[in-house]
Amino acid sequence: MEEETYYSVRMRASRNAPHEQGGKHISGGERLITYSGIQEAVNGLLHKGFSHSRGTPDFMQIQLESVNEPIKTIRPLPITVHQTDTAEKGQAIARTLLQKAGIPPRMIEKAYQSIAEYGEARGAVLFDIRTGKRIDGRRERGVRVSRVDWPAHDFQKWAFEHNMPENSRIKEAHAIAAKVCAHPGIIAEVCWSDDPDYITGYVAAKKLGYQRITKMKNDGDECGCRIFFSDGITDTQSCIHFLEKQPVFIQREGNI
Ligand code: WAQ
Ligand code: MG
C-alpha cells in the first residue's frame, strides 16, 4: 500500500512587528494533514489569525513542511469539568490539581511567582519541579507543541459523546494536552488562554486526565499561560524535540 504524505502547517501572527522584532503575539496554530487537507488548514489558520480578539495582525507567517516520520497515535485524555464562578476559585482548584498530580506545593508557588514572565512566551514554558527552574531556554518564544492533530470525524464523535462544543479551540487544547502528557518526563500541564474573551482553562496530567476549569481569569484579561511541569528529564532537548517534531494523531478508539 502506498503511504500517504502528511504535511505540518504552522502559523504565527503578530502586531506592530514580527515576533522576533518585539511585535505583540496575536495568534499561532498548527495542523498535521494530508495534501488534500492543506487548503482547508491554511484557510482555517488564516482565519484564526485574522479574527482574533487580541487584535488584527500586521505580520503573519504560514509555513508548510512534509513529515516523513511515522505518525504516533495517542488517545484523548478523560475529561472532568469544574464549574467555577470566580478566577480565584478556578486558580485555587488548578493548584490543588497540580498538587494531586505530584507537584510539591512550593514548586507550584515558585512557578506561579513567574507567571507574568512565562505568559510572555508565545509557546509553553518547560518547568523542572526538582530545581524549580525554567529549563527550555527559549525565552519569549517558548516551546510550541506542533505536528499534532485530531482528525475531524474522530473529534466530532468525541465531542458529541462528551457533550462538548465542536470547536477547534477545544480540539487543539485536548490534542496538545494528550501529546504533552504522553511524554514520560512531563507530569502535568496548566493552561489558560491569553485571548481576552476566553476564560476557561485546564490542568492536565497522566494521573488526572483533562481537568477543565470553567473560569480561571477575568473577562478582558490578556494574560494567559501554559506551563509543562517536568520531573526528572535528563535530556531537555529530546523532550522539546518530541513536543515540536514527533508527529501525533489523537484518536479515541480503534487500533493504535
Ligand atoms: N504549544 C505550546 N504552547 C502553546 C500552543 C502550542 N501549540 N498553543 C498555544 N500555546 C501557549 C501560548 O503561550 C499561548 O499564548 C497560550 O498557550 C494560550 O494559548 O474550553 O485557547 O490558544 O476546554 O489562547 C483551554 C481551554 C484554552 C479549552 C486554551 O489557549 C477548553 C487556549 P491559547
Ligand atoms: Mg491565544
Side-chain angles (χ1 to χ4, degrees):
M1 200 180 87
E2 204 184 309
E3 293 276 310
E4 227 179 331
T5 306
Y6 284 87
Y7 295 88
S8 158
V9 187
R10 292 179 296 151
M11 178 277 290
R12 62 184 173 105
S14 61
R15 187 174 170 82
N16 296 328
H19 296 96
E20 53 276 24
Q21 289 166 30
K24 174 189 178 184
H25 177 63
I26 300 291
S27 174
E30 26 280 299
R31 300 288 312 273
L32 181 64
I33 30 83
T34 57
Y35 179 78
S36 62
I38 292 177
Q39 193 158 24
E40 184 256 339
V42 170
N43 278 340
L45 291 171
L46 187 66
H47 179 74
K48 183 181 184 189
F50 264 97
S51 60
H52 213 280
S53 56
R54 288 175 60 80
T56 307
D58 48 26
F59 169 87
M60 181 182 282
Q61 188 175 60
I62 296 183
Q63 194 168 318
L64 184 142
E65 290 165 299
S66 69
V67 167
N68 305 308
E69 300 86 347
I71 299 175
K72 200 174 151 79
T73 305
I74 292 177
R75 300 274 185 241
L77 297 166
I79 176 168
T80 307
V81 180
H82 304 264
Q83 296 287 348
T84 45
D85 54 4
T86 67
E88 290 70 27
K89 286 182 200 161
Q91 289 293 348
I93 289 176
R95 290 183 192 222
T96 306
L97 290 168
L98 289 170
Q99 201 177 326
K100 275 195 187 154
I103 306 169
R106 67 175 198 290
M107 288 299 163
I108 300 171
E109 203 48 54
K110 195 129 203 251
Y112 266 79
Q113 277 164 12
S114 301
I115 289 276
E117 178 202 325
Y118 295 169
E120 292 290 306
R122 64 178 190 269
V125 161
L126 198 55
F127 182 91
D128 178 25
I129 68 160
R130 299 202 183 173
T131 59
K133 294 209 164 78
R134 178 178 180 183
I135 54 168
D136 56 274
R138 291 288 186 80
R139 296 167 183 271
E140 63 288 344
R141 202 176 139 206
V143 178
R144 288 288 302 194
V145 179
S146 305
R147 301 192 174 193
V148 56
D149 216 318
W150 193 345
H153 63 280
D154 196 75
F155 169 67
Q156 282 156 9
K157 279 189 189 160
W158 175 91
F160 179 77
E161 282 166 5
H162 291 82
N163 205 14
M164 292 296 290
E166 233 181 72
N167 65 48
S168 48
R169 186 193 299 270
I170 304 254
K171 183 180 80 169
E172 283 161 25
H174 277 269
I176 291 171
K179 183 176 179 186
V180 167
C181 288
H183 191 280
I186 298 180
I187 66 164
E189 172 187 2
V190 62
C191 166
W192 63 95
S193 182
D194 57 345
D195 305 4
D197 56 352
Y198 204 80
I199 59 171
T200 297
Y202 66 89
V203 167
K206 273 185 257 304
K207 269 194 193 170
L208 307 174
Y210 185 101
Q211 302 269 341
R212 186 172 197 241
I213 303 166
T214 55
K215 182 164 187 176
M216 286 189 78
K217 66 171 196 184
N218 291 318
D219 243 323
D221 187 348
E222 287 204 357
C223 298
C225 191
R226 200 166 222 133
I227 305 176
F228 304 152
F229 293 91
S230 72
D231 184 16
I233 289 181
T234 45
D235 187 348
T236 308
Q237 289 319 311
S238 116
C239 176
I240 294 177
H241 187 269
F242 171 84
L243 297 170
E244 292 180 335
K245 295 285 164 55
Q246 168 69 52
V248 165
F249 275 142
I250 309 301
Q251 190 184 308
R252 73 191 226 298
E253 60 182 28
N255 292 337
I256 281 201

